[in-house]
Amino acid sequence: TAGTASASDVDWVVAPYFWIPNIDGDVSNFDAALGGSNNGNGSTNIMNYLVWGFMVHTQAQGEDWGVLNEITYADLTESNRRSYDFGAGAVDFNQTVENQDWIVDLAVVWSPNDTKFAGFEPYAGIRYLDVQLGLDLKLATNNNAIARSFNGDGSWTDFLIGAKYTVPLNEKWALNFRGDYSFGDTEGTWLLAANAIYATKTGAWAFGYRYMGVEIPIGNTASNLDLSLYGPQVGYAFKF
């Protein structure tokens, strides 16, 4: 989300990003999510891994109004050994986690500034999330027996509201900040991002950091999945 565009009727920015987030996942009422009867065992961390992801940010901007679309993807498959206590003492499990996240934003942008893609730009629209999460726990003493498992697959659509702010430092460099929040089908999602922008003849490089939090229900259980994805990102914004 970079740089200054020309003053034509509609200007475009298409910015692919590579993202290296850490993904942290907590499940409330973990025993209930796994089919048990204990609904009061607090929040349990089930994953904390470095993963990979990408984003494509697209914005078409007219004189005052524009349209923003952003597609985000993150992928994780990991196996390790963990200990969990379901009320009878800690037990060692061989754990396999599979998680794929698609997040799609579509919003209308208001740009009241003299220069496009600069200054304060509020936006509002929808956020669609498709999350696939599978967890298998096998007893460490008998790796062929699946002791517990759950499937947290689902899709949700939220109302989205947020803002961007871009401030130039000189002819080449600028700083860009973005924050938003969504609500509706989910229990809430939030995004914070900051980028240093370096302008080129055809667009701009963006180097920054991104944090995203997602809280979603797990099926018909009394449990929620709380995902945090945070890490550095680098991208290039093509301007047309």
Side-chain angles (χ1 to χ4, degrees):
T1 68
T4 300
S6 65
S8 60
D9 291 339
V10 176
D11 295 322
W12 289 81
V13 166
V14 178
Y17 285 83
F18 183 65
W19 189 26
I20 310 176
N22 194 84
I23 183 168
D24 195 22
D26 296 320
V27 176
S28 64
N29 300 317
F30 189 38
D31 189 53
L34 292 165
S37 58
N38 186 353
N39 287 325
N41 60 341
S43 182
T44 302
N45 181 268
I46 63 168
M47 55 182 170
N48 191 332
Y49 303 114
L50 186 68
V51 299
W52 66 273
F54 68 83
M55 294 168 291
V56 179
H57 176 98
T58 304
Q59 184 172 337
Q61 187 63 50
E63 184 176 350
D64 293 314
W65 296 95
V67 177
L68 176 155
N69 171 249
E70 188 166 273
I71 300 172
T72 304
Y73 176 76
D75 183 275
L76 163 71
T77 300
E78 283 285 346
S79 297
N80 63 359
R81 179 170 291 193
R82 285 210 173 194
S83 294
Y84 295 110
D85 186 349
F86 295 107
V91 177
D92 289 337
F93 295 92
N94 291 325
Q95 170 179 282
T96 300
V97 178
E98 295 183 353
N99 175 231
Q100 293 85 37
D101 305 312
W102 285 97
I103 303 167
V104 180
D105 295 343
L106 182 63
V108 175
V109 183
W110 179 46
S111 182
N113 314 292
D114 294 335
T115 303
K116 296 178 183 179
F117 308 109
F120 179 71
E121 297 177 296
Y123 57 88
I126 60 172
R127 171 168 287 158
Y128 172 80
L129 301 94
D130 184 275
V131 176
Q132 299 178 40
L133 176 66
L135 174 70
D136 288 334
L137 298 178
K138 298 180 180 180
L139 291 170
T141 55
N142 183 0
N143 196 38
N144 292 320
I146 296 181
R148 299 286 190 100
S149 66
F150 78 78
N151 184 303
D153 295 359
S155 58
W156 300 266
T157 302
D158 277 2
F159 178 72
L160 172 68
I161 186 168
K164 302 185 298 168
Y165 183 71
T166 304
V167 53
L169 301 179
N170 53 43
E171 291 184 358
K172 288 290 187 179
W173 287 96
L175 294 177
N176 171 264
F177 304 95
R178 177 182 172 187
D180 62 42
Y181 180 75
S182 79
F183 55 93
D185 290 346
T186 73
E187 301 298 320
T189 77
W190 45 97
L191 170 70
L192 294 172
N195 286 304
I197 309 298
Y198 180 76
T200 69
K201 291 182 179 180
T202 58
W205 286 99
F207 309 92
Y209 195 89
R210 182 183 185 94
Y211 172 89
M212 188 166 197
V214 176
E215 186 173 356
I216 50 179
I218 299 176
N220 295 319
T221 71
S223 304
N224 286 339
L225 173 65
D226 189 355
L227 289 175
S228 297
L229 299 96
Y230 49 93
Q233 61 183 13
V234 59
Y236 188 82
F238 299 91
K239 295 187 291 184
F240 305 94

